[in-house]
Amino acid sequence: MSTSTPRLRSLGLDPATGKKALAVTHPGGFLEELADLHALKAAAVLVTVVGAVLEAGKASDAELVAFVGPLHAALEECVGIMAADRE
């Protein structure tokens, strides 16, 4: 894994409170692995949903635009995971 500095990462939602669970992860640590797993699962779900919407071919431009932010965030997180693995 990476030798870069720790960073704040999402671990999903806290089931007790419904609030976003965040952790400061350290390269190669357990919390980093959990954050990576959460990010990859979230990206996979997003890909499935967006793929289904595109396949249906009936989404409005406004509906498609709504996916741009989440897709960018998921892609950015996945690229960050890949970059950290290469360091």
Side-chain angles (χ1 to χ4, degrees):
M1 282 279 177
S2 167
T3 58
S4 61
T5 59
R7 60 189 180 124
L8 191 61
R9 302 276 309 278
S10 173
L11 299 176
L13 296 178
D14 180 337
T17 65
K19 294 181 180 180
K20 192 172 190 177
L22 300 171
V24 175
T25 64
H26 295 274
F30 178 71
L31 290 178
E32 181 182 51
E33 288 182 36
L34 284 177
D36 288 354
L37 182 61
H38 170 70
L40 295 173
K41 283 183 178 181
V45 169
L46 186 57
V47 164
T48 301
V49 170
V50 172
V53 168
L54 292 174
E55 190 173 299
K58 296 184 181 188
S60 70
D61 287 346
E63 290 169 322
L64 294 174
V65 167
F67 286 121
V68 172
L71 284 169
H72 178 264
L75 182 58
E76 185 175 45
E77 187 70 20
C78 290
V79 167
I81 291 167
M82 292 186 314
D85 284 346
R86 294 188 60 99
E87 291 180 359

Coordinates of all heavy atoms in Angstrom, one line a residue:
M1 N 0.8 -1.2 0.0 CA 0.0 0.0 0.0 C 0.9 1.3 0.0 O 2.1 1.2 -0.1 CB -0.9 0.0 1.2 CG -2.1 -0.9 1.1 SD -3.4 0.0 0.1 CE -4.6 -1.2 0.0
S2 N 0.2 2.3 0.2 CA 0.8 3.7 0.1 C 1.6 4.1 1.3 O 1.4 3.6 2.4 CB -0.3 4.7 -0.1 OG 0.2 6.0 0.0
T3 N 2.6 5.0 1.1 CA 3.3 5.6 2.2 C 2.9 7.0 2.4 O 3.6 7.8 3.1 CB 4.8 5.5 2.0 OG1 5.1 6.1 0.8 CG2 5.3 4.0 2.0
S4 N 1.8 7.4 1.8 CA 1.3 8.8 1.9 C 0.7 9.1 3.3 O 0.6 8.2 4.1 CB 0.4 9.1 0.8 OG -0.8 8.3 0.9
T5 N 0.3 10.3 3.5 CA -0.2 10.7 4.7 C -1.6 10.2 4.9 O -2.4 9.9 4.0 CB -0.2 12.3 4.8 OG1 -1.0 12.8 3.8 CG2 1.1 12.9 4.8
P6 N -2.1 10.1 6.2 CA -3.5 9.7 6.5 C -4.5 10.7 5.9 O -4.2 11.8 5.7 CB -3.5 9.7 8.0 CG -2.1 9.7 8.5 CD -1.3 10.4 7.4
R7 N -5.7 10.2 5.6 CA -6.7 11.0 5.0 C -8.1 10.6 5.5 O -8.3 9.5 5.9 CB -6.6 11.1 3.5 CG -6.9 9.8 2.8 CD -6.6 9.9 1.3 NE -6.8 8.6 0.7 CZ -7.6 8.3 -0.3 NH1 -8.3 9.3 -0.9 NH2 -7.7 7.2 -0.8
L8 N -9.0 11.6 5.5 CA -10.4 11.3 5.9 C -11.1 10.6 4.8 O -11.2 11.0 3.7 CB -11.1 12.7 6.2 CG -12.4 12.6 6.9 CD1 -12.3 11.9 8.3 CD2 -12.9 14.0 7.1
R9 N -11.7 9.4 5.2 CA -12.4 8.6 4.2 C -13.8 8.2 4.7 O -14.0 8.1 5.9 CB -11.6 7.3 3.9 CG -10.2 7.5 3.5 CD -10.1 7.6 2.0 NE -10.7 6.7 1.2 CZ -10.3 5.4 0.9 NH1 -9.1 5.0 1.3 NH2 -11.0 4.6 0.1
S10 N -14.7 8.0 3.8 CA -16.0 7.5 4.2 C -16.0 6.0 4.4 O -15.4 5.3 3.6 CB -17.0 7.9 3.1 OG -18.3 7.3 3.3
L11 N -16.8 5.6 5.4 CA -17.0 4.2 5.7 C -18.4 3.8 5.5 O -18.8 2.7 5.9 CB -16.5 3.8 7.1 CG -15.1 4.1 7.5 CD1 -14.8 3.8 8.9 CD2 -14.1 3.3 6.6
G12 N -19.2 4.7 4.9 CA -20.6 4.4 4.7 C -21.5 5.1 5.8 O -21.0 6.1 6.3
L13 N -22.7 4.6 6.0 CA -23.6 5.2 7.0 C -23.6 4.4 8.3 O -23.5 3.2 8.3 CB -25.0 5.3 6.4 CG -25.2 6.1 5.2 CD1 -26.7 6.0 4.8 CD2 -24.9 7.6 5.5
D14 N -23.6 5.1 9.4 CA -23.7 4.5 10.7 C -25.1 4.0 10.8 O -26.1 4.8 10.8 CB -23.4 5.5 11.8 CG -23.5 5.0 13.2 OD1 -24.2 4.0 13.4 OD2 -22.9 5.6 14.1
P15 N -25.3 2.7 11.0 CA -26.7 2.1 11.1 C -27.5 2.7 12.3 O -28.7 2.7 12.2 CB -26.5 0.6 11.1 CG -25.1 0.4 11.5 CD -24.3 1.7 11.1
A16 N -26.8 3.0 13.3 CA -27.5 3.5 14.5 C -28.0 4.9 14.4 O -29.1 5.3 14.8 CB -26.6 3.5 15.7
T17 N -27.3 5.8 13.7 CA -27.7 7.2 13.6 C -28.1 7.6 12.2 O -28.7 8.6 12.0 CB -26.5 8.1 14.0 OG1 -25.4 7.9 13.0 CG2 -26.0 7.8 15.4
G18 N -27.7 6.8 11.1 CA -28.0 7.2 9.8 C -27.1 8.3 9.2 O -27.2 8.8 8.1
K19 N -26.1 8.7 10.0 CA -25.1 9.7 9.6 C -23.9 9.0 8.9 O -23.6 7.9 9.2 CB -24.6 10.5 10.8 CG -25.7 11.3 11.5 CD -25.1 12.1 12.7 CE -26.2 12.9 13.3 NZ -25.7 13.7 14.4
K20 N -23.3 9.8 8.1 CA -22.1 9.3 7.4 C -21.0 9.1 8.4 O -20.7 9.9 9.2 CB -21.7 10.4 6.3 CG -20.6 9.9 5.4 CD -20.4 10.9 4.3 CE -19.6 10.3 3.2 NZ -19.4 11.3 2.1
A21 N -20.4 7.9 8.3 CA -19.3 7.5 9.1 C -18.0 7.8 8.4 O -17.8 7.3 7.3 CB -19.4 6.0 9.5
L22 N -17.2 8.6 9.0 CA -15.9 9.0 8.5 C -14.8 8.5 9.4 O -14.9 8.4 10.6 CB -15.8 10.5 8.3 CG -16.8 11.1 7.4 CD1 -16.8 12.6 7.5 CD2 -16.6 10.7 6.0
A23 N -13.6 8.2 8.8 CA -12.4 7.8 9.6 C -11.2 8.4 9.0 O -11.1 8.5 7.7 CB -12.3 6.3 9.6
V24 N -10.2 8.6 9.8 CA -8.9 9.0 9.3 C -8.2 7.7 9.1 O -7.9 6.9 10.0 CB -8.1 9.9 10.3 CG1 -6.7 10.2 9.8 CG2 -8.9 11.2 10.6
T25 N -7.9 7.4 7.8 CA -7.3 6.1 7.5 C -5.8 6.3 7.3 O -5.3 7.4 6.9 CB -7.9 5.6 6.2 OG1 -7.6 6.4 5.1 CG2 -9.4 5.4 6.3
H26 N -5.1 5.3 7.6 CA -3.6 5.2 7.4 C -3.3 4.2 6.4 O -3.9 3.2 6.3 CB -2.9 4.9 8.8 CG -3.1 5.9 9.8 ND1 -2.3 7.0 9.9 CD2 -4.0 6.0 10.8 CE1 -2.7 7.7 11.0 NE2 -3.7 7.2 11.5
P27 N -2.3 4.6 5.5 CA -2.0 3.6 4.4 C -1.7 2.2 4.9 O -0.9 2.0 5.9 CB -0.7 4.3 3.8 CG -0.9 5.7 4.1 CD -1.5 5.8 5.5
G28 N -2.4 1.3 4.3 CA -2.2 -0.1 4.7 C -3.0 -0.6 5.9 O -2.9 -1.7 6.2
G29 N -3.7 0.3 6.5 CA -4.4 0.0 7.7 C -5.8 -0.6 7.5 O -6.3 -0.6 6.3
F30 N -6.4 -1.2 8.5 CA -7.7 -1.8 8.5 C -8.8 -0.8 8.0 O -9.6 -1.2 7.2 CB -8.0 -2.4 9.9 CG -9.4 -3.0 9.9 CD1 -9.6 -4.2 9.3 CD2 -10.4 -2.4 10.6 CE1 -10.8 -4.8 9.3 CE2 -11.7 -3.0 10.6 CZ -11.9 -4.2 10.0
L31 N -8.8 0.4 8.6 CA -9.8 1.4 8.2 C -9.7 1.8 6.7 O -10.7 2.0 6.0 CB -9.8 2.6 9.1 CG -10.2 2.3 10.5 CD1 -10.1 3.6 11.3 CD2 -11.7 1.8 10.5
E32 N -8.4 1.8 6.2 CA -8.2 2.1 4.8 C -8.8 1.0 3.9 O -9.5 1.3 2.9 CB -6.8 2.3 4.4 CG -6.6 2.6 3.0 CD -5.1 2.7 2.6 OE1 -4.3 1.8 2.9 OE2 -4.8 3.7 1.9
E33 N -8.7 -0.2 4.3 CA -9.2 -1.4 3.6 C -10.8 -1.3 3.6 O -11.4 -1.5 2.6 CB -8.8 -2.7 4.2 CG -7.3 -3.0 3.9 CD -6.9 -4.3 4.4 OE1 -7.7 -5.3 4.4 OE2 -5.8 -4.5 4.9
L34 N -11.4 -0.9 4.8 CA -12.8 -0.8 4.9 C -13.3 0.3 4.0 O -14.3 0.2 3.3 CB -13.2 -0.5 6.3 CG -13.3 -1.7 7.2 CD1 -13.6 -1.2 8.7 CD2 -14.2 -2.8 6.8
A35 N -12.6 1.5 4.0 CA -13.0 2.6 3.1 C -12.9 2.2 1.6 O -13.7 2.6 0.9 CB -12.1 3.8 3.5
D36 N -11.8 1.5 1.3 CA -11.6 1.1 -0.1 C -12.8 0.2 -0.5 O -13.4 0.3 -1.6 CB -10.3 0.3 -0.3 CG -9.1 1.2 -0.3 OD1 -9.2 2.5 -0.2 OD2 -8.0 0.7 -0.3
L37 N -13.1 -0.8 0.3 CA -14.2 -1.7 0.1 C -15.5 -0.9 -0.1 O -16.3 -1.2 -1.0 CB -14.4 -2.7 1.2 CG -15.4 -3.8 1.0 CD1 -15.2 -4.6 -0.2 CD2 -15.5 -4.7 2.3
H38 N -15.8 0.0 0.8 CA -17.0 0.8 0.7 C -17.1 1.6 -0.6 O -18.1 1.6 -1.3 CB -17.1 1.8 1.9 CG -18.2 2.8 1.7 ND1 -19.6 2.4 1.8 CD2 -18.2 4.1 1.5 CE1 -20.3 3.5 1.6 NE2 -19.5 4.5 1.4
A39 N -16.0 2.2 -1.0 CA -15.9 3.0 -2.2 C -16.1 2.2 -3.4 O -16.9 2.6 -4.3 CB -14.6 3.8 -2.3
L40 N -15.5 1.0 -3.5 CA -15.7 0.1 -4.6 C -17.1 -0.4 -4.7 O -17.7 -0.5 -5.8 CB -14.7 -1.0 -4.6 CG -13.2 -0.5 -4.7 CD1 -12.3 -1.7 -4.5 CD2 -13.0 0.1 -6.1
K41 N -17.7 -0.8 -3.6 CA -19.1 -1.2 -3.6 C -20.0 -0.1 -4.1 O -21.0 -0.4 -4.9 CB -19.5 -1.7 -2.2 CG -19.0 -3.1 -1.9 CD -19.5 -3.5 -0.5 CE -19.0 -4.9 -0.1 NZ -19.5 -5.4 1.2
A42 N -19.8 1.1 -3.5 CA -20.7 2.2 -3.9 C -20.5 2.5 -5.4 O -21.5 2.8 -6.1 CB -20.3 3.4 -3.1
A43 N -19.3 2.4 -5.9 CA -19.1 2.7 -7.4 C -19.8 1.6 -8.2 O -20.4 1.9 -9.2 CB -17.6 2.7 -7.7
A44 N -19.7 0.3 -7.7 CA -20.4 -0.8 -8.5 C -21.9 -0.6 -8.5 O -22.5 -0.8 -9.6 CB -20.0 -2.1 -7.8
V45 N -22.5 -0.2 -7.4 CA -23.9 0.1 -7.4 C -24.3 1.2 -8.3 O -25.2 1.2 -9.1 CB -24.4 0.4 -6.0 CG1 -25.8 0.9 -6.0 CG2 -24.3 -0.9 -5.1
L46 N -23.5 2.3 -8.3 CA -23.7 3.4 -9.2 C -23.6 3.0 -10.6 O -24.4 3.5 -11.5 CB -22.7 4.6 -8.8 CG -22.9 5.9 -9.5 CD1 -24.3 6.5 -9.3 CD2 -21.9 6.9 -9.0
V47 N -22.6 2.3 -11.0 CA -22.5 1.8 -12.4 C -23.7 1.0 -12.8 O -24.2 1.2 -13.9 CB -21.2 0.9 -12.5 CG1 -21.2 0.1 -13.8 CG2 -20.0 1.8 -12.5
T48 N -24.2 0.1 -11.9 CA -25.4 -0.7 -12.2 C -26.6 0.2 -12.5 O -27.3 0.1 -13.5 CB -25.7 -1.7 -11.1 OG1 -24.5 -2.5 -10.9 CG2 -26.9 -2.5 -11.4
V49 N -26.8 1.2 -11.6 CA -28.0 2.1 -11.7 C -27.9 2.9 -13.0 O -28.8 3.0 -13.8 CB -28.1 3.0 -10.5 CG1 -29.1 4.1 -10.7 CG2 -28.5 2.2 -9.2
V50 N -26.7 3.6 -13.2 CA -26.6 4.4 -14.4 C -26.7 3.6 -15.6 O -27.3 4.0 -16.6 CB -25.2 5.2 -14.3 CG1 -24.9 5.9 -15.6 CG2 -25.2 6.2 -13.2
G51 N -26.1 2.4 -15.6 CA -26.2 1.5 -16.8 C -27.7 1.2 -17.1 O -28.1 1.2 -18.3
A52 N -28.4 0.9 -16.1 CA -29.9 0.6 -16.3 C -30.6 1.8 -16.9 O -31.5 1.6 -17.8 CB -30.5 0.1 -15.0
V53 N -30.3 3.0 -16.3 CA -31.0 4.2 -16.8 C -30.6 4.4 -18.3 O -31.5 4.7 -19.1 CB -30.6 5.4 -15.9 CG1 -31.0 6.7 -16.6 CG2 -31.2 5.2 -14.6
L54 N -29.3 4.3 -18.6 CA -28.9 4.5 -20.0 C -29.5 3.5 -20.9 O -29.9 3.8 -22.1 CB -27.4 4.5 -20.1 CG -26.7 5.7 -19.4 CD1 -25.2 5.5 -19.4 CD2 -27.0 7.0 -20.0
E55 N -29.5 2.2 -20.5 CA -30.1 1.2 -21.3 C -31.6 1.4 -21.6 O -32.0 1.1 -22.7 CB -29.9 -0.2 -20.6 CG -30.2 -1.4 -21.5 CD -29.8 -2.7 -20.8 OE1 -28.6 -2.9 -20.5 OE2 -30.7 -3.5 -20.6
A56 N -32.3 1.9 -20.6 CA -33.7 2.2 -20.8 C -33.9 3.3 -21.9 O -34.9 3.3 -22.6 CB -34.4 2.5 -19.5
G57 N -33.0 4.2 -21.9 CA -33.0 5.3 -22.9 C -34.1 6.3 -22.8 O -34.4 7.0 -23.7
K58 N -34.7 6.4 -21.6 CA -35.8 7.3 -21.4 C -35.6 8.4 -20.4 O -36.5 9.1 -20.0 CB -37.1 6.5 -21.0 CG -37.5 5.5 -22.1 CD -38.8 4.8 -21.8 CE -39.1 3.9 -22.9 NZ -40.4 3.3 -22.7
A59 N -34.3 8.5 -20.0 CA -34.0 9.5 -19.0 C -33.9 10.9 -19.6 O -33.5 11.1 -20.8 CB -32.7 9.2 -18.3
S60 N -34.4 11.9 -18.9 CA -34.3 13.3 -19.4 C -32.8 13.8 -19.2 O -32.0 13.2 -18.5 CB -35.2 14.2 -18.6 OG -34.8 14.4 -17.3
D61 N -32.5 14.9 -19.9 CA -31.2 15.5 -19.7 C -30.9 15.8 -18.2 O -29.8 15.6 -17.7 CB -31.0 16.7 -20.6 CG -30.9 16.3 -22.1 OD1 -30.7 15.1 -22.4 OD2 -31.0 17.3 -22.9
A62 N -32.0 16.3 -17.6 CA -31.8 16.7 -16.2 C -31.5 15.5 -15.3 O -30.7 15.6 -14.4 CB -33.1 17.4 -15.7
E63 N -32.2 14.4 -15.6 CA -31.9 13.2 -14.8 C -30.5 12.7 -15.1 O -29.8 12.2 -14.1 CB -32.9 12.1 -15.2 CG -34.3 12.4 -14.7 CD -35.4 11.5 -15.3 OE1 -35.3 11.1 -16.5 OE2 -36.3 11.2 -14.5
L64 N -30.0 12.7 -16.3 CA -28.7 12.3 -16.6 C -27.6 13.2 -16.0 O -26.6 12.7 -15.5 CB -28.5 12.3 -18.2 CG -29.3 11.2 -18.9 CD1 -29.1 11.3 -20.4 CD2 -29.0 9.8 -18.4
V65 N -27.9 14.5 -16.0 CA -27.0 15.5 -15.4 C -26.9 15.2 -13.9 O -25.8 15.4 -13.3 CB -27.5 16.9 -15.6 CG1 -26.7 17.9 -14.7 CG2 -27.3 17.3 -17.1
A66 N -27.9 14.7 -13.2 CA -27.9 14.4 -11.8 C -26.8 13.3 -11.5 O -26.4 13.2 -10.4 CB -29.3 14.0 -11.3
F67 N -26.5 12.5 -12.5 CA -25.5 11.4 -12.2 C -24.1 11.9 -12.3 O -23.2 11.2 -11.9 CB -25.7 10.3 -13.2 CG -26.9 9.4 -13.0 CD1 -27.9 9.3 -13.9 CD2 -27.0 8.8 -11.8 CE1 -29.0 8.5 -13.7 CE2 -28.2 8.0 -11.5 CZ -29.1 7.8 -12.4
V68 N -23.9 13.1 -12.9 CA -22.5 13.5 -13.2 C -21.7 13.7 -11.9 O -20.6 13.2 -11.8 CB -22.5 14.8 -14.0 CG1 -21.1 15.4 -14.1 CG2 -23.1 14.6 -15.4
G69 N -22.2 14.4 -10.9 CA -21.5 14.6 -9.6 C -21.2 13.3 -8.9 O -20.0 13.0 -8.6
P70 N -22.1 12.4 -8.7 CA -21.8 11.1 -8.1 C -20.9 10.2 -8.9 O -20.0 9.6 -8.3 CB -23.2 10.4 -8.0 CG -24.2 11.5 -7.9 CD -23.6 12.6 -8.8
L71 N -21.0 10.2 -10.2 CA -20.1 9.5 -11.0 C -18.6 10.0 -10.9 O -17.7 9.3 -10.8 CB -20.5 9.5 -12.5 CG -21.7 8.5 -12.8 CD1 -22.2 8.8 -14.2 CD2 -21.3 7.1 -12.7
H72 N -18.5 11.4 -10.9 CA -17.2 12.0 -10.8 C -16.6 11.6 -9.5 O -15.4 11.3 -9.4 CB -17.3 13.5 -11.0 CG -16.0 14.2 -10.8 ND1 -15.6 14.7 -9.6 CD2 -15.0 14.4 -11.7 CE1 -14.4 15.2 -9.7 NE2 -14.0 15.0 -11.0
A73 N -17.4 11.7 -8.4 CA -16.9 11.4 -7.0 C -16.4 9.9 -6.9 O -15.4 9.6 -6.4 CB -17.9 11.7 -6.0
A74 N -17.2 9.0 -7.5 CA -16.9 7.6 -7.4 C -15.6 7.3 -8.3 O -14.7 6.6 -7.8 CB -18.1 6.8 -8.0
L75 N -15.5 7.9 -9.4 CA -14.3 7.8 -10.3 C -13.1 8.3 -9.6 O -12.0 7.7 -9.6 CB -14.5 8.4 -11.6 CG -13.4 8.3 -12.6 CD1 -13.1 6.8 -12.9 CD2 -13.8 9.0 -13.9
E76 N -13.2 9.5 -9.0 CA -12.1 10.1 -8.3 C -11.6 9.2 -7.1 O -10.4 9.0 -6.9 CB -12.5 11.5 -7.7 CG -11.4 12.3 -7.1 CD -11.9 13.7 -6.7 OE1 -13.0 13.8 -6.1 OE2 -11.1 14.6 -7.0
E77 N -12.6 8.6 -6.4 CA -12.2 7.8 -5.2 C -11.5 6.5 -5.8 O -10.5 6.1 -5.2 CB -13.5 7.4 -4.4 CG -13.2 6.7 -3.2 CD -12.5 7.5 -2.1 OE1 -12.6 8.7 -2.1 OE2 -11.9 6.9 -1.2
C78 N -12.1 5.9 -6.8 CA -11.5 4.7 -7.4 C -10.1 5.0 -7.9 O -9.1 4.1 -7.7 CB -12.3 4.1 -8.5 SG -13.9 3.4 -7.8
V79 N -9.9 6.1 -8.6 CA -8.5 6.5 -9.1 C -7.6 6.7 -7.9 O -6.4 6.3 -7.9 CB -8.6 7.7 -10.0 CG1 -7.2 8.3 -10.2 CG2 -9.3 7.4 -11.3
G80 N -8.1 7.3 -6.8 CA -7.3 7.4 -5.6 C -6.8 6.1 -5.0 O -5.7 6.0 -4.5
I81 N -7.7 5.1 -5.0 CA -7.4 3.8 -4.5 C -6.3 3.2 -5.4 O -5.4 2.6 -4.9 CB -8.7 2.9 -4.5 CG1 -9.6 3.4 -3.4 CG2 -8.3 1.5 -4.2 CD1 -11.0 2.8 -3.5
M82 N -6.5 3.3 -6.7 CA -5.5 2.7 -7.6 C -4.1 3.4 -7.4 O -3.1 2.7 -7.4 CB -6.0 2.8 -9.0 CG -7.1 1.9 -9.3 SD -7.7 1.8 -11.0 CE -7.7 3.5 -11.5
A83 N -4.1 4.7 -7.3 CA -2.9 5.4 -7.1 C -2.2 5.0 -5.8 O -1.0 4.9 -5.8 CB -3.2 6.9 -7.2
A84 N -3.0 4.9 -4.8 CA -2.4 4.5 -3.5 C -1.8 3.1 -3.5 O -0.8 2.9 -2.9 CB -3.5 4.6 -2.4
D85 N -2.4 2.2 -4.3 CA -1.9 0.9 -4.4 C -0.6 0.8 -5.2 O 0.2 -0.1 -5.0 CB -2.9 0.0 -5.1 CG -4.1 -0.4 -4.2 OD1 -4.0 -0.2 -3.0 OD2 -5.1 -0.9 -4.7
R86 N -0.4 1.8 -6.0 CA 0.9 1.8 -6.8 C 2.0 2.4 -6.1 O 3.2 2.3 -6.5 CB 0.6 2.5 -8.1 CG -0.4 1.8 -9.0 CD -0.5 2.4 -10.4 NE 0.8 2.4 -11.1 CZ 1.1 1.5 -12.0 NH1 0.3 0.6 -12.3 NH2 2.3 1.6 -12.6
E87 N 1.8 3.2 -5.0 CA 2.9 3.9 -4.3 C 3.7 2.9 -3.5 O 3.2 1.9 -3.0 CB 2.3 5.0 -3.4 CG 1.8 6.1 -4.2 CD 1.2 7.2 -3.3 OE1 1.2 7.1 -2.1 OE2 0.7 8.2 -3.9

